[in-house]
Amino acid sequence: MMNWSNPVSRSFNSTWGLKTRLRVVVIGVVVIIGFILLISLGPRSKRALGLSEECRIPAIYNFGDSNSDTGCVSAAFRRVPYPNGISFFGKPSGRYCDGRLIIDFIAEKLGLPFLSAYLDALQANFQHGADFAASGTTIQHVNGELFGSGLNPLSLDVQLLQFEGLKERTSELYAQDKIKYRLSRLEDFSKALYTFDIGQNDIHHALTTTTEDEARKSIPDLVYQFPFAIKKLHELGARTFWIHNTGPIGCLPYLLLKYPPNPGNVDEAGCVKSYNEVAKEFNRQLKNKISELRTQLQNSLLVYVDIYSAKYSLVTESKKYGFVDPLGYCCKHVGNSSLHCWNKEKKNGVAVYATPCNNPSEYISWDSIHYTDAANRWVANRISDGSLADPPLPFSKLCKKSAL
């Protein structure tokens, strides 16, 4: 067997002199001592030296609608069918998408697993948070009229009750020393990130059942629910909030097809101008409300995220980013436009599912309402650096304010 030690030793001796080797030893000792001193410094000392500590978010608790529902509706009512999930999971995953949602990419960027849907009774693991979002839900409490129009009763107030129940049960189970491996640590509730992505269904319902003026007048009542929700979570220990505004609803293929706009009400991207104006008014009031709330919860971090701008820029510059037909969509029932991607029909007693396009990654819209995996990835990347956030913080800096 070849002896590698002798050639290496001869090479070292012939190349390095005694002084050089001593110099290397001294430098090595200095580096080690410096490293020991650095890691011994506390957080305040590190900041005084201009050094920063990146945050580690241990869990995410998400509240929202189908834009961030990882399986609540699929578990509560019926499973979201094929071809949903085909691009990433290879099967239905509870998401109205061919793959991942924005909340999935946020979890990935924070080094966390995908969130379990709170209502999933089979494989749920809440060690790193939970997803309370449910498709078809609203900010406002769902009364008989809203329920009759097809909206989901698991509205934001119900999701808050679900979170409160999860936290209480977690405390009880820890006290009983049971199933800790599936639960978040109690101290992680105050260190977690609390995310919101909700409001699209409220605006959609108002625009399609009332006048646009009435839709605008309903906005203050909707926006008021956010301070209520955030204060409630704050009472339960939450300190870090990531709040999405609503997207350009006037660019959704579903609305463009079902409620064709007048030619004068179409913008340069082909979207319904007046619908997007209502969405922007909602966002303006939401941003102001979050700013007011910061003065009341000064020990918390409230980040307002401009999802609207990210999504609208994707629509208007779709070709630049490799997407085709920005107002088209991928998944449909061929020959029956009245059915959605998540519907199935029976022909001669056989269930017929929707047909996906051959290239979902080239489309922004998956099913005329929800984005594709590729579009969600693009939006998540766009917001991850904090340039569309107020304050402008990237994911890596989402520290609890009281810990800064």
Side-chain angles (χ1 to χ4, degrees), residues 91-102:
K91 62 181 180 179
S93 66
R95 297 157 174 80
Y96 288 90
C97 180
D98 64 311
R100 292 157 292 184
L101 309 176
I102 293 173

Side-chain angles (χ1 to χ4, degrees), residues 215-327:
R216 287 176 179 271
K217 291 176 182 177
S218 71
I219 291 174
D221 287 340
L222 297 176
V223 168
Y224 173 77
Q225 299 303 317
F226 279 89
F228 173 82
I230 291 171
K231 286 180 179 178
K232 178 63 177 177
L233 291 171
H234 184 270
E235 291 174 3
L236 294 170
R239 292 296 182 269
T240 307
F241 302 90
W242 179 267
I243 305 147
H244 291 180
N245 67 12
T246 198
I249 192 170
C251 298
L252 295 179
Y254 172 82
L255 288 176
L256 288 166
L257 292 170
K258 189 164 185 177
Y259 307 97
N262 296 323
N265 192 25
V266 177
D267 66 14
E268 64 277 5
C271 305
V272 184
K273 200 185 308 182
S274 59
Y275 285 5
N276 281 347
E277 288 301 320
V278 173
K280 286 192 282 188
E281 177 58 23
F282 172 88
N283 293 340
R284 185 189 68 80
Q285 293 189 32
L286 175 61
K287 186 175 184 180
N288 290 340
K289 189 62 69 175
I290 297 302
S291 295
E292 293 175 12
L293 195 56
R294 287 193 191 104
T295 64
Q296 302 171 35
L297 302 177
Q298 295 186 15
N299 68 336
S300 298
L301 177 62
L302 283 73
V303 182
Y304 168 90
V305 185
D306 189 5
I307 285 287
Y308 182 100
S309 291
K311 289 185 173 181
Y312 191 71
S313 66
L314 179 57
V315 171
T316 57
E317 300 180 276
S318 57
K319 290 183 180 179
K320 175 181 175 182
Y321 300 112
F323 293 90
V324 300
D325 193 8
L327 302 180

Side-chain angles (χ1 to χ4, degrees), residues 37 58 64-65 69 97 102 127 141 145 164 169 174 195 222 237 259 269 331 334 376 382 385 395:
L37 289 173
D65 52 32
D69 179 3
C97 180
I102 293 173
Q127 187 175 5
H141 180 75
E145 177 192 351
E164 187 173 10
R169 288 287 289 135
Y174 262 88
T195 56
L222 297 176
Y259 307 97
C331 181
V334 179
N376 284 327
R382 182 69 183 84
D385 65 355
F395 290 149

Side-chain angles (χ1 to χ4, degrees), residues 20-186:
T20 302
R21 278 179 280 162
L22 288 173
R23 189 180 297 118
V24 170
V25 172
V26 171
I27 291 173
V29 171
V30 170
V31 169
I32 293 171
I33 293 173
F35 178 74
I36 294 172
L37 289 173
L38 178 62
I39 63 175
S40 67
L41 292 173
R44 291 184 180 179
S45 300
K46 289 181 181 179
R47 287 193 294 275
L49 291 173
L51 303 174
S52 64
E53 289 188 316
E54 292 205 348
C55 309
R56 188 189 73 83
I57 302 293
I60 302 172
Y61 294 96
N62 181 65
F63 306 86
D65 52 32
S66 57
N67 289 317
S68 59
D69 179 3
T70 60
C72 276
V73 159
S74 189
F77 299 105
R78 67 172 186 175
R79 192 179 188 192
V80 176
Y82 173 90
N84 289 283
I86 59 168
S87 295
F88 181 78
F89 299 98
K91 62 181 180 179
S93 66
R95 297 157 174 80
Y96 288 90
C97 180
D98 64 311
R100 292 157 292 184
L101 309 176
I102 293 173
I103 189 65
D104 293 316
F105 289 108
I106 290 176
E108 282 187 347
K109 288 178 182 295
L110 292 175
L112 299 175
F114 297 148
L115 298 184
S116 291
Y118 176 67
L119 297 182
D120 186 352
L122 297 178
Q123 291 184 313
N125 186 325
F126 303 130
Q127 187 175 5
H128 297 287
D131 189 7
F132 301 91
S135 303
T137 56
T138 54
I139 297 169
Q140 59 192 311
H141 180 75
V142 174
N143 56 23
E145 177 192 351
L146 294 174
F147 181 72
S149 67
L151 291 171
N152 192 323
L154 301 174
S155 48
L156 180 57
D157 56 338
V158 176
Q159 294 178 29
L160 293 173
L161 290 173
Q162 291 174 335
F163 170 77
E164 187 173 10
L166 174 63
K167 190 170 186 289
E168 287 179 358
R169 288 287 289 135
T170 299
S171 297
E172 292 172 2
L173 290 169
Y174 262 88
Q176 298 167 14
D177 199 26
K178 293 181 179 179
I179 59 172
K180 292 181 181 179
Y181 69 94
R182 294 178 55 202
L183 301 172
S184 177
R185 297 178 302 175
L186 295 180

